[in-house]
Amino acid sequence: MSGSTQAWVAAGVRAAIGAHTQAQDAGRTDDVVALYTPDGVLQVPGIDPVEGHDALRDAFKGWAPARPQLHLVTNTVITSWTEDEATAVSDVAFLQRGESGWAVQVVGRYDDTLRRHDTTWRFQRRTTTYQA
């Protein structure tokens, strides 16, 4: 899109990040996978990189919530952008609800690279790191 502004890019990137979070927490695997480019890569500590729609679908099916969960993603900063690619960093806290209520399971950071396809932004790469 000619004449893209940083605000337009930031809004698109934040919308993709929010859609990913909502779909993942609801267990909507196909919706999560659709947010990645066909060759998209997910890197999570402790496992080999997950690459491509088929592998992403298998991974997210395996992570489908068995009980209520929330990924609280905040402090998203767009670190670089062009009309067709953007990088962003976000903080994340992962919570699950158990018998005694909600509890934080993991705190970490997302480093995302997204590419624009028509008018939507899709994940090319998401790298997750955990904070000690």
Side-chain angles (χ1 to χ4, degrees), residues 25-89:
D25 288 342
R28 296 190 325 263
T29 300
D30 289 336
D31 292 347
V32 175
V33 173
L35 292 166
Y36 284 83
T37 60
D39 61 347
V41 177
L42 175 66
Q43 293 182 274
V44 177
I47 65 169
D48 290 337
V50 181
E51 184 171 351
H53 280 180
D54 291 340
L56 288 163
R57 185 172 290 102
D58 289 345
F60 282 107
K61 275 185 185 177
W63 297 323
R67 55 186 168 157
Q69 69 179 35
L70 289 171
H71 286 79
L72 301 179
V73 182
T74 188
N75 301 328
T76 299
V77 175
I78 309 302
T79 53
S80 69
W81 68 280
T82 67
E83 288 186 0
D84 296 315
E85 185 172 287
T87 59
V89 62

Side-chain angles (χ1 to χ4, degrees), residues 1 6-7 10 13 22 27 37 40 42 56 59-60 65 71-72 74 81 88 103 109 113-114 116-117 122 127 130:
M1 171 175 278
Q6 184 176 12
V13 167
Q22 294 284 326
T37 60
L42 175 66
L56 288 163
F60 282 107
H71 286 79
L72 301 179
T74 188
W81 68 280
R109 176 160 284 176
T113 300
L114 296 98
R116 186 173 65 86
H117 289 269
R122 295 188 184 164
T127 302
Y130 299 136

